[in-house]
Amino acid sequence: ERKTEWYEDSSGRFAEIWNLVFTQFNRQSDGSLIPLAAKNIDTGAGLERIACVLQKKRGNFEIDIFQPMIDAVSAALGIRLSQHTQQIYAMVDHGRAATVAITDGAFPSNEGRGYVIRKLIRRSVWRASSIGVHKPFLYQIVPAVIQTMGAAYPELKQSEKSVSQTIQQEEEKFLETLDRGLIVLSKLTDEAGRKGQRELSGEDVFLLYDTYGFPDELTKLIAKEKGLGVDEQGFTALMTEQKKRAKEKSKISSSIFSVDEAKKEISHLPPTKFLGYQTLNAEGNVLWLSTNGPDTVLILDQTPFYPEGGGQVGDQGVISGNAFEFLVRDTQKREKTIVHIGTLAKGSVREGMQVMAKVDRERRESTKRNHTATHLMQSALRNVLGNHVRQVGSLVSSEKLRFDFSHQKALTREEIQKVEQLVNSVVMQNHDVNTRIEPYHKATKEGAIAFFGDKYEESVRVIDVLGFSKELCGGTHCSKTGDIGMFVIVSESAIASGTRRIEALTGLGALHYIQALKQQLKEASDLLKTAPDQLTERIEKLQIAVKNSGKQQEKKSDLDINQLIKNGKLIGKILIVSETMQNTTSEELRKVCDDIKQKISRTAVIILFGVQDDKVALVVALTKDLEKSSLDATQIAKELALICEGSAGGRKDLAQGGGKNPKVVSKALARVAAIIQGS
């Protein structure tokens, strides 16, 4: 609990550059204050305030460190500092904060720290828009931030491209939101003005926020400029109702709630001694238990069960004793107490009993392989994509690993292959996975990766694969990289702006995945009657055939049968319907011929030529009323095919043939009249 005294000066002669905080109490969850055993004084000196005094400036933003950032914003917006001083100062401050935070792994989102970053960027865009500049600009401040702060924070330079892209994309999305929202807001404010209303309703503000993504603070600001207030109480009520609905959709199991509800009951218990790094079987004593429906919660004085944390799922297994057996479904941690959640399979258990705790070995081993592989994959991603890659979430279970990381675009097939190859090469080299306890500052100074937002104690556990990966981690790991066996990436996708997700498998899971793919490959090869190594070539040929077939279908659909009949020539009482079609097979000619016969209502002879490459296809057909006449489709086809340097055959009413000289098709068509008149 801090106790701070404030002294105000209205003369303008003094400015605070340093303050003292007297740390005296430990505030409890119920609000009560307990005096600290060791009281202290926390001193806070503002470095920029001190620089302001030393450089004899009137304010912090006038000191030398801000000048490159101010110049960058002024240039990007095309305005002078003297015209919009306070606006530019705010944009510089927001841009610097966003750059550093994104570098540390806090990406724009709709919740938590990400929402703070999103609001900083959006407020800057709105400020620019309010002075007539409607374009992305804040991303251009990133090089200036690096110029002024890069010496102290070298990771800024490593992440420059990624941070710039993230800020620019966020600006572009918000400008689209502004355009849509401003149109709707303008209609709502105009309507309110016509009705003589003094404020926008909570429903209107919520509509803009929920449907159009328009920030409520901007709605309030714009409404105020137009002389309107906002029904904040109504808006807050609607937001509360929405959060309640969202919470109901994501209920956690009752057993977890029972643990949280029992916090006061277990607060007196000593920290659980974790033995899971050394063994999977250990004796322990029952300190506390609680039953909630079918679930029982059990706490021991010591346990080999790893509690969920750092992305790794909690262990499963069995806790047994004198005539009882407890099946552990999940293991969690509350403060420093490890909690076993599961079902009492037989017998009964009571506090004080001595028990044997046995972790499911196979499940733990699989989880270890996936966790160590996650570390290797993050290093591989940073190696292939760049050091801007940061873990923003993960799941490590016995079945798979899931890794969420910062990156602006989808990985190419080549990049995914490089990551796989890099991880598998480290696996095959069978490096030692070294685990040691080090002071936090020593570990991070030597390059160990720590994660934004995580709280670390003075001493930390370091997982080190020499020359390749070094991270702070409390999870369980293989002793050698070769224990992973095999590593394969099964999917890569986007889960949010600037955030990608990879799912991968190791060990037997990876082997089973490869075997399933091989089986699918064999089945596909069998269906297409080709060897597996020729499957791609076979599919490409089929694609070409389907594409050509589609073109023919499109061409035939474009063919106007009625017009074809209308263009026919009369020889006596017989109508000659003829056509030459490019890139058409005999089968396709027969189909067109059938379509003509269905639509024609008079005596006719149908003669169709199809030209494809250096070949000629030919179909000749008679309408039904000519079947008993002297005309013979086979005879006509033979004479026409002979002209085309080919042959033909068939029935009296339908014949087909072909030739090898497309150049004489017109000559053959010219002979049709003479052939029919001579029959």
Side-chain angles (χ1 to χ4, degrees):
E1 177 72 12
R2 295 178 170 186
K3 183 179 179 182
T4 308
E5 298 289 343
W6 295 97
Y7 296 93
E8 294 186 2
D9 169 63
S10 58
S11 69
R13 295 174 56 221
F14 305 98
E16 178 192 278
I17 64 170
W18 201 320
N19 61 27
L20 304 177
V21 177
F22 298 86
T23 310
Q24 185 175 355
F25 299 105
N26 183 7
R27 182 184 291 276
Q28 304 301 298
S29 57
D30 61 0
S32 61
L33 301 177
I34 298 176
L36 291 169
K39 302 174 179 62
N40 61 72
I41 301 173
D42 179 17
T43 68
L47 294 179
E48 288 171 0
R49 294 178 182 181
I50 294 173
C52 178
V53 173
L54 293 175
Q55 294 178 24
K56 298 181 180 180
K57 301 295 183 181
R58 291 170 299 175
N60 288 10
F61 286 100
E62 294 181 11
I63 66 176
D64 55 0
I65 197 172
F66 281 106
Q67 199 55 55
M69 292 179 276
I70 289 170
D71 291 343
V73 170
S74 299
L77 294 175
I79 58 176
R80 291 196 298 272
L81 179 63
S82 58
Q83 294 173 308
H84 303 283
T85 306
Q86 296 306 314
Q87 298 280 41
I88 290 177
Y89 284 169
M91 295 172 195
V92 165
D93 198 43
H94 293 347
R96 182 174 68 162
T99 299
V100 175
I102 294 169
T103 298
D104 271 344
F107 287 84
S109 67
N110 284 332
E111 54 188 34
R113 66 195 186 210
Y115 188 56
V116 176
I117 308 307
R118 174 160 284 173
K119 285 207 295 187
L120 289 175
I121 297 171
R122 287 183 168 187
R123 284 178 177 175
S124 298
V125 172
W126 171 247
R127 285 179 182 274
S129 186
S130 67
I131 59 177
V133 181
H134 197 69
K135 65 177 183 180
F137 76 94
L138 195 64
Y139 71 96
Q140 296 181 54
I141 196 178
V142 175
V145 174
I146 294 170
Q147 178 187 338
T148 56
M149 304 183 70
Y153 302 99
E155 58 267 30
L156 289 172
K157 182 62 180 175
Q158 297 170 352
S159 303
E160 179 177 358
K161 185 177 178 181
S162 173
V163 173
S164 295
Q165 290 176 341
T166 299
I167 294 176
Q168 184 178 2
Q169 287 179 1
E170 189 65 26
E171 289 183 280
E172 289 170 348
K173 283 196 299 185
F174 183 57
L175 284 168
E176 293 175 4
T177 297
L178 270 181
D179 290 338
R180 294 193 305 269
L182 285 171
I183 293 171
V184 178
L185 180 55
S186 179
K187 290 179 181 177
L188 293 173
T189 53
D190 289 348
E191 186 178 346
R194 284 195 303 271
K195 292 180 178 178
Q197 296 173 203
R198 294 186 177 182
E199 64 178 20
L200 289 176
S201 68
E203 289 83 356
D204 288 342
V205 181
F206 185 74
L207 170 73
L208 284 162
Y209 176 85
D210 192 51
T211 305
Y212 297 96
F214 202 79
D216 57 295
E217 59 261 33
L218 283 188
T219 301
K220 296 171 190 175
L221 182 62
I222 296 169
K224 185 178 180 181
E225 290 174 353
K226 296 194 176 186
L228 293 170
V230 163
D231 176 14
E232 293 193 39
Q233 192 172 0
F235 172 72
T236 302
L238 289 169
M239 284 293 292
T240 302
E241 189 179 324
Q242 185 194 54
K243 288 177 182 177
K244 185 179 177 182
R245 287 195 301 268
K247 189 175 181 180
E248 287 174 353
K249 286 181 181 177
S250 58
K251 285 182 178 176
I252 307 173
S253 67
S254 59
S255 60
I256 304 299
F257 279 123
S258 68
V259 174
D260 290 335
E261 290 163 2
K263 274 185 178 179
K264 288 185 180 179
E265 293 183 42
I266 65 176
S267 60
H268 69 283
L269 297 177
T272 308
K273 186 177 181 181
F274 177 61
L275 307 174
Y277 295 140
Q278 297 83 29
T279 182
L280 297 182
N281 305 318
E283 290 184 346
N285 294 308
V286 178
L287 298 183
W288 186 88
L289 72 148
S290 173
T291 300
N292 183 2
D295 290 322
T296 296
V297 178
L298 206 61
I299 297 175
L300 310 180
D301 61 341
Q302 61 181 22
T303 180
F305 282 77
Y306 178 84
E308 180 180 324
Q312 181 174 327
V313 299
D315 276 336
Q316 294 180 356
V318 177
I319 296 175
S320 59
N322 186 16
F324 91 91
E325 187 175 72
F326 178 73
L327 305 180
V328 181
R329 187 184 71 251
D330 191 16
T331 308
Q332 296 284 326
K333 194 171 187 180
R334 294 297 182 269
E335 301 300 331
K336 294 186 178 182
T337 304
I338 295 176
V339 180
H340 308 86
I341 303 162
T343 306
L344 198 59
K346 66 178 181 179
S348 61
V349 60
R350 63 182 185 278
E351 291 181 11
M353 286 184 70
Q354 189 174 46
V355 298
M356 174 60 72
K358 294 183 178 181
V359 175
D360 182 330
R361 179 177 293 275
E362 186 176 339
R363 188 173 183 274
R364 167 73 84 83
E365 292 298 324
S366 296
T367 304
K368 283 167 57 176
R369 285 192 286 271
N370 285 332
H371 204 155
T372 303
T374 302
H375 284 218
L376 300 184
M377 184 174 70
Q378 176 167 218
S379 291
L381 285 167
R382 288 167 67 87
N383 186 293
V384 173
L385 304 178
N387 287 332
H388 64 275
V389 169
R390 295 253 175 170
Q391 177 179 331
V392 295
S394 71
L395 170 69
V396 179
S397 69
S398 59
E399 292 82 21
K400 66 178 181 179
L401 66 92
R402 189 179 72 208
F403 186 73
D404 302 338
F405 60 99
S406 54
H407 191 59
Q408 289 299 316
K409 57 184 179 180
L411 273 66
T412 64
R413 183 166 49 186
E414 290 75 18
E415 287 170 337
I416 291 173
Q417 287 176 346
K418 283 181 181 178
V419 171
E420 275 189 332
Q421 288 169 0
L422 201 49
V423 172
N424 280 303
S425 68
V426 177
V427 170
M428 288 187 291
Q429 289 163 21
N430 201 24
H431 290 294
D432 289 333
V433 179
N434 298 304
T435 304
R436 59 182 178 273
I437 304 298
E438 287 185 357
Y440 172 79
H441 293 293
K442 180 177 184 291
T444 53
K445 188 177 180 180
E446 291 176 351
I449 297 176
F451 300 108
F452 182 90
D454 283 3
K455 294 180 180 179
Y456 294 100
E457 297 183 355
E458 207 167 303
S459 293
V460 292
R461 187 166 179 262
V462 181
I463 308 300
D464 186 6
V465 178
L466 291 178
F468 191 75
S469 168
K470 183 186 286 188
E471 294 187 25
L472 307 187
C473 179
T476 62
H477 287 273
C478 301
S479 58
K480 284 184 170 290
T481 59
D483 296 344
I484 293 170
M486 181 191 298
F487 171 83
V488 59
I489 293 174
V490 298
S491 69
E492 190 273 343
S493 61
I495 60 169
S497 176
T499 306
R500 309 296 302 178
R501 169 172 289 174
I502 280 179
E503 293 194 357
L505 302 171
T506 63
L508 288 176
L511 178 62
H512 294 157
Y513 176 77
I514 297 297
Q515 287 175 333
L517 285 182
K518 284 175 64 178
Q519 182 60 29
Q520 291 171 17
L521 187 65
K522 184 180 184 306
E523 290 173 0
S525 300
D526 290 345
L527 284 171
L528 295 177
K529 295 180 174 59
T530 188
D533 60 348
Q534 297 174 353
L535 188 59
T536 302
E537 183 182 348
R538 176 70 175 136
I539 291 173
E540 286 174 350
K541 287 181 178 179
L542 283 173
Q543 286 178 326
I544 293 170
V546 170
K547 186 177 179 181
N548 289 337
S549 176
K551 286 181 179 179
Q552 293 304 320
Q553 292 296 331
E554 184 179 346
K555 180 178 67 179
K556 283 186 283 184
S557 65
D558 291 340
L559 188 65
D560 190 335
I561 300 297
N562 291 326
Q563 188 62 42
L564 204 60
I565 295 170
K566 188 176 179 181
N567 292 340
K569 295 180 181 180
L570 276 172
I571 298 178
K573 294 182 179 181
I574 300 173
L575 182 67
I576 308 300
V577 179
S578 62
E579 179 70 11
T580 301
M581 302 167 65
Q582 298 297 319
N583 298 317
T584 308
T585 64
S586 297
E587 186 178 348
E588 290 164 345
L589 289 178
R590 288 198 302 273
K591 179 67 173 63
V592 175
C593 187
D594 290 341
D595 293 342
I596 294 172
K597 289 175 75 174
Q598 286 178 5
K599 288 195 174 186
I600 205 161
S601 58
R602 59 179 300 164
T603 302
V605 175
I606 303 162
I607 300 172
L608 301 176
F609 285 95
V611 177
Q612 192 172 32
D613 298 326
D614 293 329
K615 296 179 181 179
V616 180
L618 167 66
V619 170
V620 177
L622 309 180
T623 53
K624 196 168 184 178
D625 56 346
L626 287 176
E627 289 180 6
K628 294 182 179 180
S629 70
S630 58
L631 289 174
D632 188 326
T634 300
Q635 192 60 40
I636 297 171
K638 283 181 178 180
E639 291 193 42
L640 295 176
L642 191 60
I643 296 171
C644 296
E645 301 176 16
S647 60
R651 306 191 307 264
K652 178 177 173 62
D653 63 324
L654 177 66
Q656 66 181 45
K660 55 185 180 181
N661 190 354
K663 295 178 181 179
V664 295
V665 168
S666 56
K667 181 180 177 183
L669 280 172
R671 283 280 300 154
V672 169
I675 293 170
I676 290 175
Q677 286 173 343
S679 297

